Amino acid sequence: MVCAVKLLTRTAEGGRAVAAAAKLCYSPSDAGSLFEGLGPEKVRSFLAHLRKAGHFSPFEHASFTFAVDGLSRVASHQLVRHRMASFSQQSQRYVPVGTPECVLPPSVSENPECRGLFEEHARRSLELYRTLVDRGIPKEDARFVLPHGWATRLVVTMNARELHHFFRLRLCRRAQWEIREVARQMLLAVREAEPELFDLAGPDCLTEGACREPSSCGRPYATMEELLAR
Amino acid sequence: MVCAVKLLTRTAEGGRAVAAAAKLCYSPSDAGSLFEGLGPEKVRSFLAHLRKAGHFSPFEHASFTFAVDGLSRVASHQLVRHRMASFSQQSQRYVPVGTPECVLPPSVSENPECRGLFEEHARRSLELYRTLVDRGIPKEDARFVLPHGWATRLVVTMNARELHHFFRLRLCRRAQWEIREVARQMLLAVREAEPELFDLAGPDCLTEGACREPSSCGRPYATMEELLAR
Amino acid sequence: MVCAVKLLTRTAEGGRAVAAAAKLCYSPSDAGSLFEGLGPEKVRSFLAHLRKAGHFSPFEHASFTFAVDGLSRVASHQLVRHRMASFSQQSQRYVPVGTPECVLPPSVSENPECRGLFEEHARRSLELYRTLVDRGIPKEDARFVLPHGWATRLVVTMNARELHHFFRLRLCRRAQWEIREVARQMLLAVREAEPELFDLAGPDCLTEGACREPSSCGRPYATMEELLAR
Amino acid sequence: MVCAVKLLTRTAEGGRAVAAAAKLCYSPSDAGSLFEGLGPEKVRSFLAHLRKAGHFSPFEHASFTFAVDGLSRVASHQLVRHRMASFSQQSQRYVPVGTPECVLPPSVSENPECRGLFEEHARRSLELYRTLVDRGIPKEDARFVLPHGWATRLVVTMNARELHHFFRLRLCRRAQWEIREVARQMLLAVREAEPELFDLAGPDCLTEGACREPSSCGRPYATMEELLAR
């Protein structure tokens, strides 16, 4: 299985709200009038200007809520480290485990022998989980035997400023492959919904033209298309 | 002048997103299906249940963006202390000051002598500001002579969890009158937009039936109507 | 194995700093003079007053840094959800796994048959991890087969306000047993270091005299001693 | 008057705690042993390495608490916008205003005519404040006539990561002069206390060798000495 991201909802006219908020800082008008007066083309050019200047503070006014399914607890543990975000996660204390749903890393999937061992292990882990529950062990303790790769579900909300930060870190080629895949799907979804807020996003190699990591991968992204291809 | 609050935008179907996120924690389904399956009545009853249980964490998924105009810098200084929120504020470094816009406290307004002194002082402060700017003092330094009551404008975004916290603190009778008025207008606006997220909100006297402040005012609110009346 | 908490370091004279900061709000003096003028007895009584009034904001000025060892990734996943805190965690991407270190839940430990199955599973999981690494699978992917109970290490920093919040939630009898044990050891450590900041802490049943949970356990804590006993 | 910063207290051995936390991420040892094993020279070189790599996350484990006196409410309003920080501020609702304490901007101070007008205005504002209080206006409303430049006092706590961010923004030549002066005094104080955590800090022109602001001042800082000179 592979994770799947769906944009559940978002701030209506988020890009326009961001542009109005940014304009307010330098204008004698009120924000309501600024918001009314902004057409799509002005929003687009003004947001591009803010992004180039690195002024991401007003991007906080636009917020996006995603359903993330089929993410391993390896990746969800990383994901919830982002503090400027909101998470609701399926509970392993309360929700009984059903079919063997373990995220299969590509490196394992491509190696038939390893894949066999991995899948057999996932099945046995689930069997043991069930045996323990049958023997009276609480679900919250039986889950200790489930593999790290076991899949979870979350609802995640981030604003556009945190999303830019998230894409910068997590779309780097050196990020873990699974959180990169979540980030890629999230970026695809928000670009479809509010293209002008995310016309350019990703690691420094793409957005700044240079990597600042001391142990760089040496393979900079040249275009958004390259970044967004699976 | 008196402050004016306008709801600029918000998370579309925020209440439904909150309910779906909360349901996810205890359900084997995915969040997308839960979101689709929730009708208005189910959303309403489920949100009431969450609020009663004090489980406000999923309320973070619904976000609201306000234009606040005519707020004194006394009150804006308090407002921006709320850290789980986003602010864009009109800059006094860049925006030149125009007409004498000073927030008049009701206690001053009701006293003709004091009101006269107050308004005369506001006029003179603006005159001195202009004199200083004419003498070459930068706007960012000339503003040091403007009174604390000088009006400012902000765009403010808070999620529904932080809003409940904000209403709890700032609608208390002991809160400063001006930030109470902002909170009152914000609560009116979000109740119109998403009534089920804010069916009950405010200080502990109203929502919990008891005040925990050591120096309580002794005048508990009995109903939302009483709280929301000016 | 069972988790072990050690207080690594903390704000020097944190209680005195909290008391001075709180006094500043209501005093014409400067904070340096207030800090100098506060003897241990005044600090103690003033902090007790703040706690009773629920004024925890100045408690943020005192910060505590812990080493936490032997925590399962089940519990560390919950721990890092506390956003007003700082975490550094041993990386499973970079640190190779050594001996089978899996946290054994008491419910499993007390059942010889289950314990045998559990420990055998932990051994086999480690064997498979090693086999995968030998076959060329990257460590970051091989770890997908390790059980959720696998032990991790963290450095955790929280301020005294967040600690009070943490103890309130995580020392509740309904919290997961492992995070309760971490919280218990953390509270023991900070009470030894700064008793006046934590003279009373824990769930509402103990600190407020009443539980607000809709599905309460019905067994309130009566004393700090009872709360702190293993 | 001019603002004065004093370091009240801090995390004991904060630099060593940061180094131990960072080492933990890549080491099989426990944090207690790593902390014990780190001598001053190892701490110094390891922290320099982290800073160069831009890995500031472990810097959160070291926290610093300052007394800030004589800051205008113009500058305190900016200061409290930093959300990863803790503030306790002298209350104008409760503390009566005494002598005319208004921060005098250098641009005004250097112009005798303007200075005279400014100081006369500060005196008259205080007189009016007292008249209003005598007429029965509450202190919290009378303060609306005090100038923006009126001085306040705060206790401020920031961790070393946020301090680096604060110095990056607020020591820029384009930052407001007063918050620059606070930042300069804060940096002097933390460099004396924990030099290895702050061997290099400040705006990008100094730490990265290049400014990213679209409207750059064109006068990069070359050395820490230049940055720290008044």
Side-chain angles (χ1 to χ4, degrees):
Chain A
M1 74 181 303
V2 64
C3 68
V5 171
K6 190 182 168 181
L7 182 59
L8 277 188
T9 187
R10 60 187 168 93
T11 305
E13 302 200 84
R16 192 146 74 116
V18 169
K23 269 199 163 333
L24 178 74
C25 302
Y26 304 100
S27 158
S29 293
D30 65 286
S33 307
L34 292 168
F35 186 73
E36 295 306 322
L38 278 165
E41 184 48 35
K42 276 192 188 164
V43 168
R44 203 197 56 72
S45 71
F46 196 59
L47 293 179
H49 164 75
L50 287 173
R51 196 201 21 83
K52 272 172 209 152
H55 293 172
F56 281 110
S57 158
F59 280 63
E60 294 182 17
H61 296 295
S63 179
F64 297 82
T65 300
F66 307 88
V68 179
D69 284 294
L71 195 68
S72 78
R73 290 186 64 100
V74 165
S76 74
H77 203 314
Q78 295 168 65
L79 183 58
V80 301
R81 291 293 300 275
H82 288 268
R83 287 175 287 197
M84 302 297 106
S86 303
F87 302 99
S88 299
Q89 186 167 5
Q90 199 183 51
S91 168
Q92 289 181 331
R93 293 185 80 189
Y94 299 110
V95 180
V97 168
T99 48
E101 295 191 322
C102 195
V103 175
L104 188 69
S107 66
V108 175
S109 177
E110 292 157 5
N111 181 323
E113 184 198 353
C114 290
R115 181 175 182 151
L117 293 168
F118 187 98
E119 292 181 337
E120 172 65 14
H121 179 72
R123 266 191 301 275
R124 287 201 182 176
S125 300
L126 179 59
E127 269 173 38
L128 178 54
Y129 171 86
R130 286 175 177 155
T131 301
L132 294 174
V133 171
D134 288 348
R135 297 280 188 284
I137 302 297
K139 284 196 295 290
E140 73 169 44
D141 288 345
R143 71 171 150 168
F144 276 59
V145 302
L146 294 176
H148 279 18
W150 213 260
T152 186
R153 305 182 197 274
L154 300 100
V155 172
V156 180
T157 297
M158 289 190 192
N159 65 44
R161 183 191 202 172
E162 181 65 18
L163 281 169
H164 271 282
H165 176 67
F166 182 75
F167 296 143
R168 181 171 169 262
L169 296 184
R170 303 301 188 173
L171 284 170
C172 171
R173 289 194 203 269
R174 297 202 48 210
Q176 188 241 0
W177 62 268
E178 197 184 2
I179 204 157
R180 274 177 71 193
E181 176 57 18
V182 174
R184 194 184 69 87
Q185 292 189 33
M186 286 167 69
L187 181 48
L188 280 169
V190 296
R191 271 169 71 88
E192 195 183 318
E194 289 269 12
E196 68 278 12
L197 280 171
F198 300 99
D199 65 332
L200 185 62
D204 286 351
C205 57
L206 178 60
T207 61
E208 303 286 325
C211 178
R212 306 162 84 194
E213 276 294 316
S215 41
S216 174
C217 72
R219 291 180 296 137
Y221 283 107
T223 62
M224 286 300 288
E225 288 66 37
E226 194 188 342
L227 182 75
L228 290 168
R230 188 187 288 263
Chain B
M1 73 179 306
V2 63
C3 68
V5 170
K6 190 181 169 184
L7 181 59
L8 277 187
T9 187
R10 60 185 167 95
T11 303
E13 301 199 84
R16 193 148 71 117
V18 169
K23 269 199 164 331
L24 178 73
C25 302
Y26 304 99
S27 157
S29 292
D30 65 286
S33 306
L34 293 167
F35 186 73
E36 295 305 324
L38 278 165
E41 185 46 37
K42 276 192 188 164
V43 168
R44 202 197 56 72
S45 71
F46 197 59
L47 293 179
H49 164 74
L50 287 173
R51 194 199 25 77
K52 272 170 210 153
H55 293 172
F56 281 109
S57 158
F59 280 62
E60 295 182 16
H61 297 295
S63 177
F64 297 82
T65 300
F66 307 88
V68 180
D69 284 294
L71 195 69
S72 78
R73 290 190 59 102
V74 165
S76 74
H77 203 313
Q78 294 168 65
L79 182 59
V80 301
R81 290 294 297 276
H82 288 268
R83 287 173 287 195
M84 302 298 107
S86 302
F87 302 99
S88 299
Q89 186 167 4
Q90 199 182 52
S91 167
Q92 288 182 330
R93 294 183 81 189
Y94 300 110
V95 180
V97 169
T99 48
E101 295 191 323
C102 196
V103 175
L104 188 69
S107 67
V108 175
S109 177
E110 291 156 6
N111 180 322
E113 185 199 354
C114 290
R115 180 176 181 149
L117 293 168
F118 187 99
E119 291 181 338
E120 172 66 13
H121 179 73
R123 267 191 301 276
R124 287 202 183 175
S125 300
L126 179 58
E127 269 174 39
L128 177 54
Y129 170 86
R130 285 174 178 157
T131 302
L132 293 175
V133 171
D134 288 348
R135 296 283 189 283
I137 303 296
K139 283 195 296 290
E140 73 167 45
D141 288 346
R143 70 170 150 169
F144 275 60
V145 303
L146 294 175
H148 278 17
W150 213 260
T152 185
R153 304 182 198 274
L154 300 100
V155 172
V156 180
T157 296
M158 288 189 193
N159 65 45
R161 183 190 202 174
E162 181 64 19
L163 281 169
H164 271 281
H165 176 68
F166 182 75
F167 296 144
R168 181 171 170 261
L169 296 184
R170 304 300 190 174
L171 285 170
C172 170
R173 289 195 204 268
R174 299 200 47 211
Q176 188 240 1
W177 63 269
E178 197 184 2
I179 204 158
R180 273 178 71 193
E181 176 57 18
V182 174
R184 194 185 67 88
Q185 291 189 33
M186 285 166 69
L187 180 49
L188 280 169
V190 295
R191 271 170 71 88
E192 196 183 316
E194 290 268 13
E196 70 277 11
L197 280 170
F198 300 98
D199 64 334
L200 185 61
D204 286 350
C205 58
L206 177 61
T207 61
E208 304 285 325
C211 177
R212 307 162 83 192
E213 276 295 315
S215 43
S216 174
C217 72
R219 291 181 295 136
Y221 283 107
T223 61
M224 287 299 289
E225 288 65 38
E226 194 188 342
L227 182 76
L228 290 168
R230 188 189 289 266
Chain C
M1 74 180 305
V2 63
C3 69
V5 172
K6 190 182 169 182
L7 182 58
L8 277 188
T9 187
R10 61 187 167 95
T11 304
E13 302 199 85
R16 191 146 75 114
V18 169
K23 267 196 163 337
L24 178 73
C25 303
Y26 305 99
S27 158
S29 292
D30 66 285
S33 306
L34 293 168
F35 186 73
E36 294 306 323
L38 278 165
E41 185 47 37
K42 276 192 189 164
V43 168
R44 202 197 55 73
S45 70
F46 197 60
L47 294 179
H49 164 75
L50 288 173
R51 194 197 26 78
K52 272 171 210 153
H55 293 171
F56 282 110
S57 158
F59 280 62
E60 295 182 16
H61 297 296
S63 177
F64 297 83
T65 301
F66 307 89
V68 180
D69 284 294
L71 195 70
S72 77
R73 291 188 60 103
V74 165
S76 75
H77 202 313
Q78 293 169 65
L79 182 58
V80 301
R81 290 293 299 275
H82 288 268
R83 286 173 287 195
M84 302 296 106
S86 302
F87 302 99
S88 299
Q89 185 165 6
Q90 199 182 50
S91 167
Q92 289 181 330
R93 293 184 80 188
Y94 299 111
V95 181
V97 168
T99 48
E101 295 190 323
C102 195
V103 174
L104 189 68
S107 66
V108 175
S109 177
E110 292 157 4
N111 180 324
E113 185 201 353
C114 290
R115 182 178 181 147
L117 293 168
F118 187 98
E119 291 181 338
E120 173 66 14
H121 179 72
R123 267 192 301 276
R124 287 202 182 176
S125 300
L126 179 58
E127 267 174 40
L128 177 55
Y129 170 85
R130 285 176 178 153
T131 301
L132 293 175
V133 171
D134 287 348
R135 296 282 189 282
I137 303 296
K139 283 196 294 290
E140 72 168 44
D141 288 344
R143 70 170 150 168
F144 275 59
V145 302
L146 294 175
H148 278 18
W150 213 260
T152 185
R153 304 180 196 276
L154 301 100
V155 172
V156 180
T157 296
M158 288 189 193
N159 65 44
R161 183 190 202 174
E162 180 65 18
L163 281 169
H164 271 282
H165 176 68
F166 182 74
F167 296 144
R168 182 172 168 261
L169 296 184
R170 303 300 190 174
L171 284 169
C172 171
R173 288 195 204 267
R174 298 200 48 211
Q176 188 240 1
W177 63 268
E178 197 184 3
I179 204 157
R180 274 178 71 193
E181 176 57 18
V182 173
R184 196 186 66 88
Q185 291 189 34
M186 285 166 69
L187 181 49
L188 280 169
V190 295
R191 272 169 71 87
E192 195 183 317
E194 290 268 12
E196 68 280 9
L197 280 171
F198 300 97
D199 65 334
L200 186 61
D204 286 350
C205 57
L206 177 60
T207 61
E208 304 285 326
C211 177
R212 307 163 83 193
E213 276 294 317
S215 42
S216 174
C217 72
R219 291 180 296 138
Y221 283 107
T223 62
M224 286 301 286
E225 288 66 38
E226 194 189 341
L227 182 75
L228 290 168
R230 189 188 287 266
Chain D
M1 73 179 305
V2 64
C3 69
V5 172
K6 189 182 168 183
L7 182 60
L8 277 187
T9 187
R10 60 185 167 94
T11 304
E13 302 200 84
R16 193 148 72 114
V18 170
K23 268 197 164 333
L24 178 72
C25 302
Y26 304 99
S27 157
S29 292
D30 65 286
S33 306
L34 293 168
F35 186 73
E36 295 306 323
L38 279 165
E41 184 48 36
K42 276 191 189 165
V43 168
R44 203 197 54 72
S45 70
F46 196 60
L47 294 178
H49 164 75
L50 287 174
R51 194 197 28 76
K52 272 172 209 151
H55 294 171
F56 281 110
S57 159
F59 280 63
E60 294 182 16
H61 297 295
S63 177
F64 298 81
T65 300
F66 307 87
V68 180
D69 284 294
L71 196 68
S72 77
R73 290 187 60 100
V74 165
S76 75
H77 203 314
Q78 295 169 65
L79 182 58
V80 302
R81 291 293 299 274
H82 288 268
R83 287 175 287 196
M84 303 296 106
S86 302
F87 302 98
S88 299
Q89 186 166 5
Q90 201 182 51
S91 167
Q92 288 182 330
R93 294 185 80 189
Y94 301 110
V95 181
V97 169
T99 48
E101 295 191 322
C102 196
V103 175
L104 189 68
S107 67
V108 175
S109 177
E110 291 157 6
N111 179 323
E113 185 199 356
C114 289
R115 180 176 182 149
L117 293 167
F118 187 99
E119 292 181 337
E120 173 65 14
H121 179 72
R123 266 192 302 276
R124 288 201 180 175
S125 300
L126 179 59
E127 269 175 39
L128 177 55
Y129 170 86
R130 286 176 176 152
T131 301
L132 294 174
V133 171
D134 288 349
R135 296 282 189 285
I137 303 296
K139 285 196 294 291
E140 72 168 45
D141 288 345
R143 70 171 150 167
F144 275 61
V145 303
L146 294 176
H148 278 17
W150 213 260
T152 185
R153 304 182 198 274
L154 301 100
V155 172
V156 181
T157 296
M158 288 189 194
N159 65 44
R161 183 189 201 174
E162 181 64 18
L163 281 169
H164 271 281
H165 176 68
F166 182 74
F167 296 144
R168 180 171 170 261
L169 295 184
R170 303 300 189 174
L171 284 169
C172 170
R173 289 195 203 269
R174 299 202 46 211
Q176 187 239 2
W177 62 269
E178 197 184 3
I179 204 157
R180 275 177 69 193
E181 176 58 17
V182 174
R184 194 185 69 87
Q185 291 189 34
M186 285 167 70
L187 180 50
L188 280 169
V190 295
R191 272 170 70 88
E192 195 183 317
E194 290 268 13
E196 68 279 13
L197 280 171
F198 300 98
D199 64 333
L200 185 62
D204 286 349
C205 58
L206 177 60
T207 61
E208 304 286 325
C211 178
R212 306 162 85 192
E213 277 294 316
S215 42
S216 174
C217 73
R219 291 180 297 138
Y221 283 108
T223 63
M224 286 300 288
E225 289 66 38
E226 194 188 343
L227 181 76
L228 290 167
R230 188 188 289 266

